[in-house]
Amino acid sequence: MSSRNVKIRAKKYVLTKYYNGEPKESDFEIVEEELGELKENEILVQALYYSIDPYMRAHMHLHKLPLDMIGRQLAEVIDSRHDAYPIGCYVVDSFGWRTHTITNPNIPYPKGDGLPLVRVPDVSPHPLSISLGILDAPGNTAHFGITEICEPKAGETIVITGAAGAVGSHAGQIAKILGCKVIGFAGSAKKCEYLVNELGFDHAFNYKTADIIEALKSVAPNGVDCYFDNVGGELSYKIMRQMKSNGRVAVCGSISTYNNVEPAKGSVLQPIIAYKQLTLKGFLVYRWADRFEDCMNTTLKWVNEGKLKYKEEVYYGFENMVKALNSILRGENIGKAIVKA
């Protein structure tokens, strides 16, 4: 039964202006709303951590304003009328940038991204926050993008861009588990050192300073079999030039273009795709929403066995959500970016 005796006032970010370049504080309004009493099978959750992801920049222009800000969050159940979700348990769902939420776990939360509510398992001795990163959408994006889109075979060579981010760092490690030669591209020498020395990538290059084509020729003289693309743009064009015939490309994102004020322009890819007979597949992780928990369990097993490592960039305070989003869009973080409430 519900035990709440006081009204809860939730805070949430509402986007009121479309982004022009980087997101700005003035593009949002923080709104308060009073939450009512729980109905049967409903739970009240309080946000503990918020996921910050590049797609948040691109996705918002697809909808009419004003719009509640989207995103996954890790939350604690603080009141419940649902037997399977008692007070004190933890869940992950797409509640967005809001402090408190009432939801019925039996009914998809009206967020439109197709991702499921997941009850968090025991992740000790790891921090609870990994249930928002490597065990949730970023980790599952990497897992399914590698295993079901790229489908690399042992001994093949795969390139990962955005390799030091939440998805790329995980994707590269999975490829290593599968026996591949892994080459990463990231935006600083520090990130490249992390990829090789900490995560076991075979090679890593700073795309800002390296000659992309010569770098690939030096470590993959016979060409590239698979490409996991997180960034798009000219970097992707140059990598695809070095792919083998019948190579596979998993198109996960295009972060290099997300902050563009004008439409992105770049080199024409079609001649390369046709001549090399490449297969390109774009994908969104909700395609495998019914397999989220199975994937989470596999990933947690690999983490506990020491096969997968993770790194979190933690920002603090509900008021710093926009700052955190801009930080990842600038490429300032390594690993998963989260905001602690």
Side-chain angles (χ1 to χ4, degrees):
M1 295 293 293
S2 175
S3 59
R4 181 157 49 102
N5 297 316
V6 296
K7 296 290 185 181
I8 297 291
R9 293 193 65 82
K11 293 182 179 180
K12 65 179 181 179
Y13 277 77
V14 178
L15 185 69
T16 58
K17 299 177 184 176
Y18 289 122
Y19 308 133
N20 183 21
E22 285 192 348
K24 303 174 184 64
E25 299 281 353
S26 58
D27 296 334
F28 299 87
E29 183 179 353
I30 297 179
V31 175
E32 289 193 9
E33 61 181 17
E34 187 173 284
L35 302 184
E37 296 296 324
L38 295 185
K39 300 175 184 176
E40 185 177 1
N41 290 326
E42 288 187 334
I43 58 176
L44 168 66
V45 302
Q46 180 173 346
L48 301 179
Y49 291 93
Y50 301 91
S51 179
I52 305 297
D53 302 286
Y55 78 88
M56 294 175 170
R57 171 62 181 80
H59 183 81
M60 304 308 286
H61 281 261
L62 302 177
H63 302 276
K64 293 182 179 179
L65 301 181
L67 178 68
D68 289 1
M69 188 59 184
I70 60 173
R72 301 282 278 176
Q73 66 169 249
L74 167 65
E76 181 179 5
V77 177
I78 60 172
D79 199 359
S80 176
R81 292 191 62 190
H82 196 299
D83 291 341
Y85 296 86
I87 293 173
C89 75
Y90 303 98
V91 298
V92 170
D93 202 359
S94 302
F95 298 132
W97 290 10
R98 54 182 298 126
T99 58
H100 299 79
T101 307
I102 290 177
T103 189
N104 182 338
N106 301 339
I107 302 172
Y109 187 71
K111 69 280 186 176
D113 62 8
L115 299 182
L117 180 147
V118 177
R119 180 166 172 179
V120 176
D122 180 9
V123 299
S124 59
H126 311 286
L128 271 173
S129 52
I130 72 165
S131 60
L132 196 57
I134 197 169
L135 299 185
D136 193 55
N140 290 356
T141 298
H143 181 95
F144 292 117
I146 290 290
T147 61
E148 303 215 3
I149 303 295
C150 282
E151 296 183 306
K153 303 174 183 65
E156 289 190 324
T157 298
I158 183 169
V159 170
I160 315 283
T161 50
V167 174
S169 59
H170 190 38
Q173 292 182 84
I174 294 173
K176 287 300 296 180
I177 291 172
L178 296 177
C180 297
K181 179 179 182 179
V182 179
I183 303 166
F185 283 93
S188 71
K190 180 181 178 181
K191 290 180 178 180
C192 291
E193 291 170 2
Y194 170 71
L195 294 174
V196 174
N197 297 334
E198 296 294 327
L199 301 189
F201 280 50
D202 295 282
H203 306 279
F205 297 98
N206 182 348
Y207 71 88
K208 295 178 181 178
T209 59
D211 183 315
I212 306 303
I213 292 176
E214 290 303 315
L216 286 175
K217 285 181 177 179
S218 70
V219 297
N222 297 321
V224 172
D225 299 285
C226 304
Y227 172 33
F228 193 102
D229 184 8
N230 283 306
V231 303
E234 283 297 298
L235 177 56
S236 290
Y237 169 74
K238 291 176 181 179
I239 291 169
M240 283 191 232
R241 282 180 58 184
Q242 297 309 116
M243 295 192 71
K244 296 179 183 178
S245 293
N246 300 303
R248 292 93 70 199
V249 181
V251 182
C252 180
S254 184
I255 193 173
S256 67
T257 67
Y258 289 166
N259 271 336
N260 288 2
V261 176
E262 299 295 329
K265 297 179 180 180
S267 301
V268 178
L269 288 169
Q270 282 81 354
I272 297 173
I273 296 169
Y275 180 73
K276 292 179 177 288
Q277 301 183 79
L278 302 180
T279 298
L280 282 76
K281 291 184 180 180
F283 69 98
L284 297 172
V285 72
Y286 68 73
R287 182 189 306 188
W288 301 280
D290 61 335
R291 294 165 59 187
F292 256 48
E293 291 199 38
D294 288 342
C295 186
M296 176 179 65
N297 292 331
T298 297
T299 301
L300 183 58
K301 178 176 179 290
W302 282 343
V303 170
N304 288 333
E305 292 172 349
K307 294 179 179 178
L308 283 177
K309 297 181 180 179
Y310 59 88
K311 186 175 178 63
E312 296 178 326
E313 193 84 30
V314 183
Y315 301 82
Y316 294 90
F318 188 68
E319 68 279 5
N320 286 318
M321 302 290 281
V322 179
K323 177 182 177 182
L325 178 58
N326 280 326
S327 181
I328 66 166
L329 292 172
R330 296 171 190 154
E332 295 174 355
N333 69 296
I334 296 178
K336 181 74 187 86
I338 55 176
V339 173
K340 189 178 189 302

